[in-house]
Amino acid sequence: MYFPNARTQSCANYSTRASPPLFISAHLAWYSPSSLASCANAPSSSWSVVPVPVDLSQKQASFGNSNDQPKRPSFEHAFWDRENDLLFAAVGASRTLDYFSTLNFRRRGRNEALLSNDVVDNHAAFAAIEAAATVASIGLSYVFHRYHHHRLERWTSIVHASLATSGAVRNYCLKTAHP
């Protein structure tokens, strides 16, 4: 974004003008357009943006309310919104299905591949592992949410629920090992 009248006194000595940058980073969007000054031919040979203080009445008028907190952009959402609630419930349900399918195929004489049979046969320990996997999935989704990777936040739960469900279906499809 280029504003021809937005020069500071230190830039007046430069005779030629280079092309403006194509993008202005998101954290600069809070400054009004008239408060951005740039020096294209500065000795550093890079664009510098100088924030000029903006009148508080301008700031309040641009936000439409009197508090100092800016509104969240429309692409953000609350972590515990309806979609995440449903995805986390799907992860919990798929881990529960995996728990019961694993116990079922252990009763039919099959061996667990990912954990030891002793851990699976200890029902309390195995239930705790399944619950911990669900909590870990929710925690990873929160980390993605916190750092504004909202697609990864959703896909973490989708992939986890899909893999746990397909593993449970596989467990039920295995043939009984005893004669």
Side-chain angles (χ1 to χ4, degrees):
M1 197 174 261
Y2 174 66
F3 302 101
N5 295 332
R7 288 187 173 187
T8 60
Q9 291 290 354
S10 62
C11 295
N13 297 335
Y14 299 109
S15 60
T16 59
R17 191 90 181 148
S19 63
L22 295 177
F23 299 105
I24 294 179
S25 62
H27 72 278
L28 295 176
W30 298 112
Y31 295 106
S32 68
S34 64
S35 70
L36 296 176
S38 58
C39 300
N41 298 324
S44 65
S45 75
S46 66
W47 279 83
S48 61
V49 176
V50 180
V52 178
V54 178
D55 183 21
L56 185 58
S57 61
Q58 270 184 328
K59 234 182 184 179
Q60 288 176 351
S62 67
F63 288 126
N65 56 12
S66 62
N67 62 0
D68 292 319
Q69 297 295 327
K71 292 180 183 177
R72 286 193 314 194
S74 62
F75 58 87
E76 289 203 18
H77 61 91
F79 180 67
W80 291 107
D81 64 349
R82 181 167 172 76
E83 188 172 350
N84 271 351
D85 290 345
L86 293 173
L87 288 171
F88 299 153
V91 169
S94 65
R95 296 308 298 196
T96 303
L97 181 63
D98 182 58
Y99 172 80
F100 287 113
S101 70
T102 303
L103 292 182
N104 178 303
F105 91 89
R106 280 294 297 141
R107 280 191 296 271
R108 294 184 295 139
R110 303 296 299 208
N111 292 322
E112 171 63 31
L114 298 176
L115 298 171
S116 69
N117 289 333
D118 293 335
V119 172
V120 174
D121 293 338
N122 182 352
H123 296 262
F126 187 50
I129 290 171
E130 294 286 356
T134 302
V135 170
S137 178
I138 294 171
L140 184 60
S141 291
Y142 179 74
V143 169
F144 287 139
H145 175 81
R146 178 75 174 86
Y147 290 102
H148 308 289
H149 297 289
H150 298 291
R151 282 190 182 161
L152 290 175
E153 169 192 355
R154 307 283 197 200
W155 276 101
T156 299
S157 297
I158 292 168
V159 169
H160 190 164
S162 300
L163 290 175
T165 302
S166 62
V169 168
R170 179 193 170 277
N171 289 345
Y172 280 121
C173 292
L174 292 174
K175 296 189 186 272
T176 303
H178 345 123

